Amino acid sequence: MYKNLVDLFKENERKGAVGAFNVHCFEMLPSMIKGAEELNVPVILQTSLGTAEYIGFEPLIAAVKALAETSSVSVALHMDHCKDIEALKKAINCGYSSVMYDGSSLPLEENIKNTKEVVEYAHAHGVSVEGEVGSIGGAEEGVVVAKDAAMYTRPEDALRFASETGVDALAVSIGTTHGQYKSKAKINYELLAELKVKLGDTGLVLHGGTGVSDEDMRRCVREGMKKINVGTELNKSYIEVVSRTFTAEDVTPLTSLRKLLGPANDRIKEIVKEKASLFKL
Ligand code: 13P
């Protein structure tokens, strides 16, 4: 079934966190859903605006809906980190079941105002919304920039943001970073505990899943994370596998691309299964 985040959180209540996996190309879609089916867990497929434009909004959404309707598990399609309100409205109109407005680089007032506008539009269309307070940031080439305490989510800001915007989910900065694949994040569990108490029903979201150890993943789920994002690990692994298959000695122009892409798609399914099994309580 094709659902939004609120439905998925409800369905997964007391069962752990729902995995949100970044789709980088069309090929990854069926493998991600197969992985979730083999574990019997709901799944969130998420794209950047860039991926949506690369594949095309309509074909992407039609494919995800078709796969979801025949799947044994619940599937959401979520727009990840989007700063463009008009693009989010387009995603909602075209059929995404969930969107993230990322106003984390703006002053809090402005982030609240813009997020509220997205929430009003999205909720009127049955679409869920994730917001962000604090700055999760990114890592260049796997070299992680030292974490500035000022980038962490301040619990009082998170509480005000959640109550004034009415978001369904909130990305919080507790020590993870996007694109960290050479080292592991140091998570601030005291902050997570405080955010959990303050945020109540708003689903907490952990970004930067690639740089989180298995042990930390399990602990974050036990301590209340409801959605966990994994992106870089999928992209990195896809590149590793196709680099091997495309350069094998027996490859000729007559070799079917299916044979070369199949192993990478299988690896995507395995990563979804490995990660989603850590997210189960
Ligand atoms: P990673 O690429 O570090 O796994 O993070 C993904 C993410 O948080 C997408 O929003």
Side-chain angles (χ1 to χ4, degrees):
M1 282 280 280
Y2 187 62
K3 297 191 175 167
N4 66 25
L5 287 196
V6 178
D7 295 331
L8 259 58
F9 289 161
K10 248 185 237 150
E11 178 184 328
N12 214 42
E13 184 84 49
R14 284 187 287 276
K15 293 184 187 161
V18 185
F21 300 97
N22 285 78
V23 176
H24 295 270
C25 62
F26 217 97
E27 291 284 329
M28 288 185 176
L29 292 173
S31 311
M32 287 176 168
I33 295 184
K34 270 186 220 148
E37 283 172 346
E38 288 184 17
L39 266 192
N40 195 25
V41 291
V43 68
I44 300 160
L45 307 184
Q46 57 187 17
T47 74
S48 60
L49 179 56
T51 299
E53 286 168 344
Y54 167 70
I55 298 176
F57 280 74
E58 283 83 6
L60 169 69
I61 294 162
V64 174
K65 281 187 175 171
L67 289 162
E69 291 313 330
T70 53
S71 176
S72 56
V73 298
S74 299
V75 179
L77 178 62
H78 178 77
M79 175 69 79
D80 194 24
H81 289 288
C82 186
K83 297 176 191 293
D84 179 342
I85 297 182
E86 288 315 306
L88 286 177
K89 287 184 180 169
K90 176 178 174 184
I92 292 164
N93 293 339
C94 288
Y96 269 74
S97 64
S98 185
V99 296
M100 174 184 190
Y101 173 70
D102 180 358
S104 60
S105 59
L106 301 172
L108 186 63
E109 291 289 338
E110 208 179 330
N111 187 4
I112 289 175
K113 180 179 151 288
N114 292 355
T115 306
K116 215 169 148 187
E117 180 184 338
V118 174
V119 169
E120 276 161 18
Y121 193 85
H123 284 181
H125 290 78
V127 169
S128 52
V129 180
E130 177 180 337
E132 179 173 330
V133 176
S135 177
I136 292 156
E140 293 282 327
E141 307 278 316
V143 179
V144 182
V145 182
K147 191 91 198 169
D148 179 347
M151 291 165 75
Y152 284 126
T153 303
R154 288 160 26 117
E156 59 276 24
D157 290 349
L159 178 61
R160 182 177 159 208
F161 181 88
S163 57
E164 291 187 22
T165 61
V167 285
D168 307 294
L170 183 64
V172 289
S173 175
I174 59 167
T176 57
T177 327
H178 293 112
Q180 184 176 354
Y181 66 92
K182 287 186 178 166
S183 57
K184 294 292 173 203
K186 189 165 170 1
I187 294 180
N188 184 338
Y189 285 106
E190 253 175 56
L191 177 56
L192 174 54
E194 209 182 330
L195 287 165
K196 179 69 196 139
V197 171
K198 283 224 160 46
L199 271 293
D201 281 347
T202 312
L204 292 179
V205 184
L206 186 72
H207 281 242
T210 299
V212 179
S213 70
D214 291 359
E215 197 186 320
D216 278 325
M217 282 291 197
R218 288 199 193 89
R219 184 163 171 197
C220 283
V221 175
R222 282 198 307 275
E223 303 209 2
M225 280 294 172
K226 287 281 174 269
K227 170 177 181 269
I228 299 186
N229 291 1
V230 179
T232 303
E233 186 157 345
L234 298 157
N235 200 58
K236 173 179 170 280
S237 303
Y238 209 94
I239 292 171
E240 280 166 5
V241 178
V242 294
S243 301
R244 187 164 37 77
T245 57
F246 275 79
T247 54
E249 271 178 17
D250 59 351
V251 173
T252 75
L254 298 180
T255 307
S256 169
L257 280 167
R258 291 191 306 273
K259 200 175 153 203
L260 306 181
L261 295 172
N265 296 332
D266 291 344
R267 184 71 196 112
I268 294 300
K269 185 181 84 173
E270 290 312 313
I271 294 171
V272 167
K273 284 176 70 180
E274 283 161 22
K275 296 294 174 189
S277 61
L278 299 171
F279 304 160
K280 279 184 166 189
L281 274 179

